[in-house]
Amino acid sequence: MYTDKVMDHFENPRNVGEIENPDGIGKQGNPVCGDVMELGIKVKDNIIEDARFRTFGCCAAIATSSMVTEMVKGKTLEEAEEISKQAVAEALDGLPPAKMHCSNLAADALHDAIRDYKEKHAKVSK
Amino acid sequence: MKKQYYFDHNATTPVRPEVAEAMLPYLTDLFGNASSVHSFGREARHAMEQSRETVARLIGSDPDEIYFTGCGTESDNIALAGYMASAPRGRNRLITTKVEHSAIIKTGAKLERDGYQVTYLGVDHHCRIDMDNLSDEIDGKTALVSIMHGNNETGVLQEIEEAAHIAHEAGAVFHTDAVQSAGKVPIDVNEMGIDMLSMSGHKLNAPKGIGVLYIKKGIPITPLTYGGSHENGIRPGTENVAGIVAMARAVELAMEGMDDKASKLSTLRDRPEKGIEDAVTNVLFNGRGVPRLPGTSNMSFPGVDGEALLFSIDIEGIAASTGSACTTGDVEPSHVLIAMGREPKTAQGSLRFSMGWGTTGEGVDYILECLPVIVKRLRNISGEM
């Protein structure tokens, strides 16, 4: 059912936890099967320095969460915004069709975190 | 290779060696069609009728009240749709429950589309039907009441003797889906007032592809399929003699020391429940504390997803099941746990261990060794959201 990469990220997820004083937080819930993901990012000079997650969900949900945090670390905000659900799924060597909505969750949580960062940042700038 | 422990007997069971041995000749040498006039056919027919007698003994019925089908689902379909189509005039209502197997629920839905009235009784937190609800609902339009004996997810047993009595008082017929309970707990159709009953071979160490439908003499059934005159025309099709022989052998083995085996199995089942209760915070048991099938244990771990749990224990070599969405392919979590009042998220984090022939204390201890650590790991990942 799942690729070796998915199982690896499920058994050994990277970046589990919370960021202290996060610069942006994204939270997404999945109406399809009730998965929930919370993603925190630390941003410096437009680069995502750190990302951590908490996820309630199935193997695919945990694996996609873990993968997306790996993918964003060291990227600029613009690069991170380009990360799509397909990109997350591809990085894991693919997901079963019924589980594609999990990669959606991860991508959406990331974009939500970036949006949150921009909102906070915009306020501060004013 | 890591040792594997199977705790999914409610899903299916291994065929016992004695059962495989009994059925093999009917695949190879004694392969005749039971309807054939010649000696090959007569041999097959003889085995079939002997098997019918044996199966009848399990539930205390007459042999000619036993019909062989392909599976429990088929038996449920014939009982419900077949009887409703033959029900007395003016009686167009079926009363069943919200915790039935999908074979009953989906047949109920089909009957509704066909214009019948179908009522689904709810259950309490322990998965039990309040028989007062049945009394309140039942009326002169009710043709059939169908209430499962043992629930497949929680193992909880319903008071079907009382349900049958209420059904009869109202002039209705009573069916029970005994797929999970037959061969595990005693059943006597006459004592209990059961008019129709479904059974499935692969739940009691016979192969997949064989089921039984008991139909009390005098209950009319409109067949769902058409063909030869096999099984009194109720289930046409060349009989699966090998499967039938297997069923009978499995039933014979099930009858041997049934109570003793049930008691031993309950003890084995209770052990991990007690252990997990002690070792894991925030665990909810589903169906514990009420009459239950001896080998079934269903528990929920808030903050953890059922599929994640299943894969984690599978990695350790433990096979179990869950009623969560995503695993069953359904969008909704277990309809049984929801009917019991569990929050969808809690139902999502449920695990069912079901034990049977071959379950050992070693396996049970291994569950205790692995599960608490797994729950802790997954709760750390979720932050218990």
Side-chain angles (χ1 to χ4, degrees):
Chain A
M1 187 182 169
Y2 288 126
T3 65
D4 287 343
K5 279 218 174 111
V6 170
M7 290 316 288
D8 177 36
H9 277 264
F10 171 63
E11 290 178 68
N12 311 294
R14 294 50 159 168
N15 307 310
V16 175
E18 284 101 3
I19 304 264
E20 216 176 295
N21 302 317
D23 294 313
I25 296 181
K27 190 163 180 176
Q28 287 291 310
N30 196 312
V32 176
C33 63
D35 296 344
V36 184
M37 179 187 179
E38 196 172 285
L39 175 70
I41 53 175
K42 199 102 188 125
V43 182
K44 194 173 176 189
D45 300 328
N46 204 46
I47 293 186
I48 297 178
E49 274 193 331
D50 198 8
R52 295 206 179 256
F53 80 93
R54 295 277 191 199
T55 289
F56 168 93
C58 59
C59 299
I62 292 171
T64 52
S65 306
S66 166
M67 178 52 85
V68 86
T69 59
E70 281 229 309
M71 287 168 83
V72 299
K73 286 213 288 201
K75 293 221 161 51
T76 64
L77 287 174
E78 290 71 33
E79 284 167 335
E81 271 174 326
E82 294 294 301
I83 293 173
S84 66
K85 68 172 179 184
Q86 283 88 354
V88 177
E90 264 164 45
L92 288 166
D93 291 339
L95 285 174
K99 295 292 187 175
M100 277 306 288
H101 63 263
C102 295
S103 65
N104 226 353
L105 186 77
D108 287 348
L110 169 65
H111 299 136
D112 199 34
I114 294 172
R115 187 192 46 75
D116 184 51
Y117 165 79
K118 285 184 171 171
E119 267 174 29
K120 286 190 175 120
H121 198 69
K123 283 193 193 125
V124 169
S125 298
K126 282 182 183 127
Chain B
M1 177 151 167
K2 203 172 211 144
K3 188 148 184 206
Q4 306 245 287
Y5 296 96
Y6 186 74
F7 284 100
D8 206 15
H9 290 260
N10 285 14
T12 196
T13 61
V15 175
R16 284 180 67 164
E18 303 94 319
V19 173
E21 198 186 315
M23 77 182 281
L24 193 56
Y26 295 92
L27 297 174
T28 52
D29 303 318
L30 309 171
F31 60 88
N33 184 319
S35 303
S36 295
V37 169
H38 48 65
S39 62
F40 291 83
R42 290 199 305 274
E43 239 164 13
R45 174 160 294 274
H46 179 72
M48 184 172 75
E49 295 313 323
Q50 293 247 281
S51 302
R52 206 183 297 273
E53 272 175 40
T54 304
V55 172
R57 268 190 283 128
L58 179 71
I59 58 174
S61 79
D62 273 357
D64 48 3
E65 293 174 320
I66 297 291
Y67 296 82
F68 292 111
T69 66
C71 56
T73 294
E74 194 183 347
S75 298
D76 282 346
N77 270 257
I78 295 171
L80 262 54
Y83 179 70
M84 291 305 288
S86 294
R89 222 195 179 132
R91 288 193 183 256
N92 67 341
R93 192 171 172 213
L94 163 70
I95 299 179
T96 184
T97 82
K98 287 188 172 151
V99 297
E100 300 293 314
H101 185 271
S102 57
I104 296 285
I105 305 239
K106 292 284 173 69
T107 307
K110 162 71 167 131
L111 288 166
E112 276 182 293
R113 288 195 298 276
D114 287 349
Y116 294 97
Q117 212 198 336
V118 182
T119 303
Y120 301 89
L121 298 173
V123 291
D124 62 18
H125 293 310
H126 298 291
C127 199
R128 299 256 280 177
I129 302 283
D130 183 343
M131 289 304 158
D132 288 341
N133 290 345
L134 176 59
S135 296
D136 291 340
E137 281 291 341
I138 204 163
D139 61 6
K141 286 203 157 122
T142 307
L144 178 64
V145 175
S146 177
I147 296 179
M148 73 195 318
H149 190 198
N151 182 266
N152 52 309
E153 295 196 27
T154 60
V156 170
L157 290 160
Q158 303 298 340
E159 298 158 319
I160 56 172
E161 202 166 328
E162 204 186 326
H165 179 76
I166 294 168
H168 293 153
E169 292 264 284
V173 162
F174 183 75
H175 164 261
T176 185
D177 176 332
V179 162
Q180 293 291 344
S181 62
K184 296 173 190 167
V185 296
I187 295 173
D188 186 309
V189 290
N190 293 307
E191 267 173 35
M192 294 162 102
I194 300 169
D195 300 307
M196 293 192 286
L197 176 147
S198 306
M199 278 169 58
S200 170
H202 76 100
K203 307 292 189 188
L204 39 92
N205 309 111
K208 297 162 190 60
I210 182 76
V212 170
L213 177 60
Y214 151 78
I215 304 169
K216 191 185 182 75
K217 255 188 275 273
I219 305 272
I221 296 283
T222 301
L224 304 187
T225 55
Y226 307 98
S229 57
H230 316 87
E231 302 301 287
N232 277 355
I234 285 175
R235 203 275 189 167
T238 302
E239 299 94 340
N240 174 4
V241 177
I244 289 166
V245 167
M247 183 79 189
R249 190 73 187 100
V251 157
E252 257 174 2
L253 293 167
M255 288 192 287
E256 280 170 21
M258 193 190 288
D259 289 341
D260 185 52
K261 282 191 293 214
S263 160
K264 290 201 164 93
L265 210 55
S266 293
T267 306
L268 272 178
R269 183 269 316 274
D270 292 345
R271 220 155 92 194
E273 287 193 338
K274 187 77 189 61
I276 287 160
E277 194 176 39
D278 290 340
V280 179
T281 58
N282 201 11
V283 51
L284 304 164
F285 291 96
N286 303 304
R288 200 185 185 196
V290 291
R292 222 181 358 166
L293 291 171
T296 309
S297 175
N298 191 307
M299 53 191 86
S300 300
F301 299 94
V304 183
D305 174 80
E307 193 212 73
L309 270 171
L310 269 194
F311 268 93
S312 298
I313 61 174
D314 183 50
I315 288 164
E316 300 304 324
I318 299 170
S321 176
T322 173
S324 83
C326 289
T327 52
T328 58
D330 289 334
V331 175
E332 306 295 317
S334 157
H335 67 286
V336 173
L337 297 180
I338 299 293
M340 286 166 71
R342 291 288 181 224
E343 293 296 320
K345 200 122 178 265
T346 306
Q348 191 83 339
S350 66
L351 212 51
R352 176 190 73 186
F353 293 102
S354 46
M355 307 178 189
W357 178 79
T359 301
T360 60
E362 186 190 307
V364 153
D365 288 338
Y366 190 55
I367 294 176
L368 275 174
E369 207 183 291
C370 298
L371 192 54
V373 173
I374 286 167
V375 171
K376 202 167 177 199
R377 178 184 100 88
L378 292 170
R379 276 180 172 162
N380 180 50
I381 295 172
S382 73
E384 301 207 45
M385 280 190 290

